[in-house]
Amino acid sequence: MVKISPSILISDFLTLKDSIKELEAAGVDMLHLDVMDGIFVPNISFGNPVIKSIKAHSNLPLDVHLMIDRPHRYIEEFAKYADLLGFHYEAGSDNVELLKKIRELGCKSCITIKPATPAEAIFDLLPLCDMVLVMSVEPGFGGQKFMPMALDKIKALKEESIRQGLNIDIEVDGGINAETAPQAIAAGANVLVAGNFLFSADDMGAKVKEIKAL
Ligand code: DX5
Ligand code: ZN
């Protein structure tokens, strides 16, 4: 069954605790935490102090999406609270070393590709990944429109992971809603990030159920 990883990026941070309880009750599988440094992406979000607080208030696995330059500089720090720890292929670290390090630190490893990066770029890295994340928008902001070109990349990664005999989660991030979720699932994604679709709804639980029923 498809897993839902709500992105809290556009939430009201002063009422975030209530939102997390609502999402837990609705049966989401993890929480997607978007860390942005204003260098790798043109936006700044939050860092480990916020993630630490969330960890103290929720038992949901934390799916940390690092959108930071040279992420190896901070990986020990983020590994303290992350369950799944992902960084960008394009961010300027030694990707092989960093994927290994994440596992050594006790987290599940994830590598992420921006829209301009082909799926083939990470084929050799798949044995080191517990999950791969395909961006379906340019990273940096919530509420953008889904880019259908992500679908072919999801399909290629799914096929390649099967070819290599690997059981890897394939996550898609950006513009997921009731129309785009079925397309992503059909292409092979099994973890869906959803920000705007959930947080702009009056009833987040109903929206979670809508996607879970797909
Ligand atoms: C964008 C972030 C996404 C984003 C998803 O850089 O990685 O996680 O917040 O939000 P929606 O679902 O609104 O596109
Ligand atoms: Zn994200």
Side-chain angles (χ1 to χ4, degrees):
M1 201 209 246
V2 68
K3 295 178 200 166
I4 311 283
S5 189
S7 163
I8 64 159
L9 188 61
I10 64 156
S11 69
D12 175 347
F13 282 84
L14 294 187
T15 55
L16 181 57
K17 195 174 165 185
D18 298 334
S19 303
I20 290 174
K21 294 296 152 207
E22 207 178 324
L23 290 166
E24 283 175 348
V28 303
D29 301 274
M30 52 190 113
L31 292 173
H32 184 86
L33 306 179
D34 289 304
V35 177
M36 303 181 182
D37 66 352
I39 295 173
F40 182 71
V41 289
N43 197 7
I44 297 174
S45 58
F46 52 82
N48 229 24
V50 171
I51 297 176
K52 182 182 179 186
S53 302
I54 293 171
K55 187 78 183 170
H57 290 286
S58 177
N59 291 323
L60 286 170
L62 302 185
D63 165 26
V64 175
H65 176 191
L66 296 179
M67 284 164 274
I68 65 174
D69 182 59
R70 289 166 291 148
H72 59 277
R73 296 174 298 152
Y74 294 101
I75 215 71
E76 274 99 351
E77 194 53 32
F78 284 106
K80 286 182 189 164
Y81 310 110
D83 294 277
L84 251 161
L85 187 48
F87 65 94
H88 271 265
Y89 172 84
E90 310 86 355
S93 288
D94 179 325
N95 293 326
V96 170
E97 287 309 310
L98 196 51
L99 285 166
K100 286 183 187 163
K101 181 89 183 173
I102 289 172
R103 283 183 169 174
E104 273 167 33
L105 290 166
C107 297
K108 288 190 174 168
S109 60
C110 173
I111 197 152
T112 305
I113 49 173
K114 297 210 298 190
T117 303
E120 293 73 21
I122 58 169
F123 280 2
D124 288 351
L125 300 172
L126 294 181
L128 298 172
C129 298
D130 295 296
M131 183 166 85
V132 292
L133 168 50
V134 176
M135 292 305 300
S136 41
V137 297
E138 282 300 338
F141 300 91
Q144 302 181 73
K145 200 169 173 306
F146 182 83
M147 298 165 81
M149 46 77 73
L151 296 171
D152 282 344
K153 289 159 70 170
I154 293 168
K155 202 159 169 271
L157 284 162
K158 178 74 184 175
E159 283 170 7
E160 179 63 15
S161 61
I162 290 169
R163 199 189 66 75
Q164 292 190 30
L166 300 166
N167 184 18
I168 296 175
D169 284 328
I170 300 183
E171 182 175 49
V172 57
D173 183 5
I176 291 294
N177 57 37
E179 285 79 51
T180 56
Q183 299 170 28
I185 295 167
N190 70 321
V191 184
L192 306 180
V193 175
N196 192 53
F197 179 64
L198 296 179
F199 280 90
S200 66
D202 291 334
D203 182 351
M204 288 202 290
K207 295 286 175 195
V208 170
K209 288 191 182 75
E210 198 176 327
I211 301 188
K212 281 265 185 191
L214 290 171

